[in-house]
Amino acid sequence: AEGSDWQRQRKLTATPFNEQKSSSVWSESLRQASDMLHFWTLYGSDGTKYCAEDVRTLAINVLAFAGFQKSYPFKGSQQAEITERTPSTYRDALAIILQNVLILLVVPSQVFSLPFLPTRWTQVGWAKTAFRRYMLDQIADEKQLMSEGKAGSGTLVSNLVRASEQPQDPGSSNVGKTQKPLSIDEILGNIFVFNFAGHDTTSISLAYALFLLVAHPEVQDWISEEINFYLGSEPDPTTWQYENTFPKLQRCLAVLLETLRLYNPIPGVPKHTGPHPQRLSLSESQTLNIPPNTLVIPSLQALHTHPRYWGSDSLTWRPSRWIISSAPSSNTTNPPLRTTLTTEKLLTPQKGTFIAWSEGLQNCPEKKFAQVEFVATMARLFKGHRAEAVPGYDGGESMEEARARVMRVVGDSSVELLLRMREPGSVSVRWVER
């Protein structure tokens, strides 16, 4: 969508991502992370090699709850294989779709109805059909509720349908009129984009962050210090309120920002000039005229690692670069922890130097969703536990060598629609109580 059509869709689709939804994302993320941590600790000293796959499960379960009011128990990757040939739930259908996005993008829909297809492709076809049926049923149910004057179901579909049918704002010159509602295909298209963008990018970022934390135990201690300072007297995660807790866990958020700076799942943010030329100001004395109908893809990696903006250690993963202290200067070498934490603030980068969620009018509407989910997961995992790489080579590998191997796995990444590690399963991680 472009121009006025894009503006209409953006206005209508921004409605579902509000603070009320953030609270829901927070509570469900804590619940899923608690179950995931319990499952991981069952592996004991042998650890699990399924961390990257399990955070995908967490992300899809949070998305299912926050977006569609469907709650699913966490099951580890070894438990959760879909053995039925036909996906039986919305979550199963969505999981299969997200695992096979590339196939869906390049293979025409009619191919999936052909006989004698590989089992995997047949399952993808069934998942696509089932997911569309689930969504159409929700749309029909929501429109029925609206016709009866009843409250909405609170799902993403509900918000999209109702937002597109609402009258104009009181200050508008078109008071009393409704905007052009989203069509069925537009609703389905937006739901797919929200699912793909909201799930894959978040789960990939979680996987990278976990591996980087395993390789940097000092950063685990750094965020655990913050988590326990604010939550140490509250052992029950169900009592951790979003409104009071999320804004305080700035170190946890810094881990996400630093991970996205170096390992953003989206290598570039496509921009298009549209039918008219665009002028780009490079400096006070230099401008660049970009022709109409030109695709421009800024390189996030180049921008996010430029020493001019990020210093001489711009290639180093250092979350503390995002934290600045506003404490008054003193002669105290080691100020009290309370003074340190309560005066810390999150760095605001120079405009245009950090665009992990894009920037400007077309920034990502799910930015807050991802931040809340990430911080809640970090808080639950690292409040009372630490993550260690299990030394390989039958115990002949030292802990330092194991951590170096983890960094090699992180560095061995490739782009398949999104940036991801090639072999995350080659690392086993064990979770140990602090």
Side-chain angles (χ1 to χ4, degrees), residues 366-383:
E366 294 184 81
K367 174 181 177 180
K368 187 64 174 291
F369 188 114
Q371 291 180 343
V372 172
E373 180 178 345
F374 185 95
V375 170
T377 302
M378 291 293 105
R380 184 64 191 97
L381 293 181
F382 291 100
K383 181 181 185 298

Side-chain angles (χ1 to χ4, degrees), residues 81-112:
E81 291 186 17
I82 301 172
T83 55
E84 303 87 353
R85 295 185 65 197
T86 306
S88 57
T89 68
Y90 150 81
R91 183 211 170 280
D92 291 344
L94 180 58
I96 294 171
I97 288 172
L98 293 176
Q99 289 168 4
N100 297 276
V101 169
L102 192 58
I103 293 177
L104 288 168
L105 289 177
V106 301
V107 177
S109 297
Q110 57 269 28
V111 170
F112 294 109

Side-chain angles (χ1 to χ4, degrees), residues 32 47 71 127 131 185 258 277 283 314 329:
Q32 293 290 331
S71 181
F131 182 75
D185 285 341
E258 182 71 348
S283 66
S314 60
S329 58

